[in-house]
Amino acid sequence: MSQRPVPDHVESDAPNLDFDGTTPYEDYVQASVLTHLQHPLSDDPGEMVFLVTTQVMELWFTVIVHEWQTAAQALREDDLPTAMAALQRSAYELESLNASWTPLAHLTPGQFNAYRSALGEGSGFQSAMYRRLEFLLGEKSASMLVPHRGAPRVHAELEKALTEPSLYDEVLSHLARRGLAVPAAVLDRDPALRHEPDPGVERVWEEIYSGPRDGELVRLGEALTEVAELVWRWRNDHLVATRRAMGSKTGTGGSAGVAWLEKRAAKNVFPELWTARSHV
């Protein structure tokens, strides 16, 4: 088959510009799908920023859930290097997720109110992918499945995520298989319940951190701590952005707004990793 002639104005070392259909880039990334998913419901130009930023957050949730599922599976197989690589990637991704607040972090009440009515009863706590992220952190709650009852596929995925061990559950099981004294009650707990701080788990982390400073389990603890800190920053950035945009008014979706976010921000992920430091 003969090649198409190269037009005179195209340099010989230029990239290939002539394709029969869509470009290979478009086929792989599906950019035209992504860039046509924005349908603002108001005339305010700021709504486009809010909509795109929220969609970007959803994509980061998807990536981070994938990383933590990869880490959890690797820990089930006692493959610590693969788990560590996924956790470390997720830390960079969490930093990018947190940076997504920047376009929204300085909204005045007037700017937010210009398109707030377009959200109706919509609220970020209804995000199914964010709920999967929280479940992987051990923040389990069956009541959070309720908003998704009308979407059978999403509800089934969340129900499965609720009943599976969290990332932290897999960490503790891995530590137990390595001979550390993780309490049996923690290992045998119902994975559909929220992880509650346990003094026995705290002692396990105290023992790990009292050992060799560059040991692989210390590095695991630090990778988890980095994740926990970045999740805490995410929650606090959400709180601050909401406080600036709407003060103490009732949140979208009927939540208590800032008061509800303050409660969420006060919680530590992987709590024993923080409290054990007081005893090392």
Side-chain angles (χ1 to χ4, degrees), residues 100-142:
S100 301
W101 283 115
T102 302
L104 308 180
H106 299 90
L107 287 174
T108 67
Q111 289 169 330
F112 183 49
N113 287 337
Y115 57 81
R116 187 188 180 197
S117 61
L119 277 66
E121 290 190 277
S123 175
F125 78 80
Q126 299 161 7
S127 165
M129 194 56 71
Y130 182 69
R131 192 56 46 206
R132 289 176 66 177
L133 184 151
E134 289 261 303
F135 285 177
L136 277 164
L137 291 171
E139 294 287 329
K140 301 291 187 73
S141 173

Side-chain angles (χ1 to χ4, degrees), residues 58-95:
E58 286 289 331
L59 292 173
W60 280 124
F61 295 157
T62 303
V63 174
I64 293 164
V65 164
H66 169 74
E67 299 287 24
W68 292 348
Q69 288 175 329
T70 298
Q73 177 63 37
L75 287 163
R76 277 194 291 277
E77 298 167 0
D78 294 324
D79 180 358
L80 192 54
T82 297
M84 286 289 294
L87 289 171
Q88 288 163 348
R89 286 194 303 269
S90 79
Y92 302 135
E93 293 148 8
L94 280 162
E95 289 177 349

Side-chain angles (χ1 to χ4, degrees), residues 224-235:
L224 292 167
T225 302
E226 185 73 7
V227 165
E229 179 179 334
L230 288 165
V231 169
W232 177 81
R233 292 184 184 280
W234 156 266
R235 292 174 175 172

Side-chain angles (χ1 to χ4, degrees), residues 36-218:
H36 288 79
L37 291 175
Q38 295 75 43
H39 305 287
L41 300 178
S42 76
D43 295 328
D44 189 89
E47 188 190 351
M48 186 67 165
V49 180
F50 184 90
L51 188 53
V52 170
T53 300
T54 304
Q55 290 175 337
V56 167
M57 289 178 177
E58 286 289 331
L59 292 173
W60 280 124
F61 295 157
T62 303
V63 174
I64 293 164
V65 164
H66 169 74
E67 299 287 24
W68 292 348
Q69 288 175 329
T70 298
Q73 177 63 37
L75 287 163
R76 277 194 291 277
E77 298 167 0
D78 294 324
D79 180 358
L80 192 54
T82 297
M84 286 289 294
L87 289 171
Q88 288 163 348
R89 286 194 303 269
S90 79
Y92 302 135
E93 293 148 8
L94 280 162
E95 289 177 349
S96 296
L97 169 66
N98 291 358
S100 301
W101 283 115
T102 302
L104 308 180
H106 299 90
L107 287 174
T108 67
Q111 289 169 330
F112 183 49
N113 287 337
Y115 57 81
R116 187 188 180 197
S117 61
L119 277 66
E121 290 190 277
S123 175
F125 78 80
Q126 299 161 7
S127 165
M129 194 56 71
Y130 182 69
R131 192 56 46 206
R132 289 176 66 177
L133 184 151
E134 289 261 303
F135 285 177
L136 277 164
L137 291 171
E139 294 287 329
K140 301 291 187 73
S141 173
S143 66
M144 299 310 294
L145 271 62
V146 173
H148 307 283
R149 287 180 300 186
R153 179 184 62 81
V154 173
H155 188 274
E157 289 173 351
L158 281 174
E159 192 169 41
K160 181 173 182 289
L162 177 72
T163 57
E164 290 177 337
S166 70
L167 171 62
Y168 198 44
D169 289 332
E170 297 293 1
V171 167
L172 297 179
S173 294
H174 174 74
L175 296 180
R177 289 191 296 273
R178 294 184 66 145
L180 288 146
V182 180
V186 172
L187 297 171
D188 298 335
R189 60 183 284 278
D190 181 354
L193 299 178
R194 177 182 287 108
H195 175 82
E196 299 294 344
D198 185 278
V201 174
E202 181 183 273
R203 287 191 292 272
V204 166
W205 286 115
E206 180 185 348
E207 179 183 345
I208 289 170
Y209 275 92
S210 298
R213 285 179 292 177
D214 61 347
E216 61 180 4
L217 294 184
V218 171

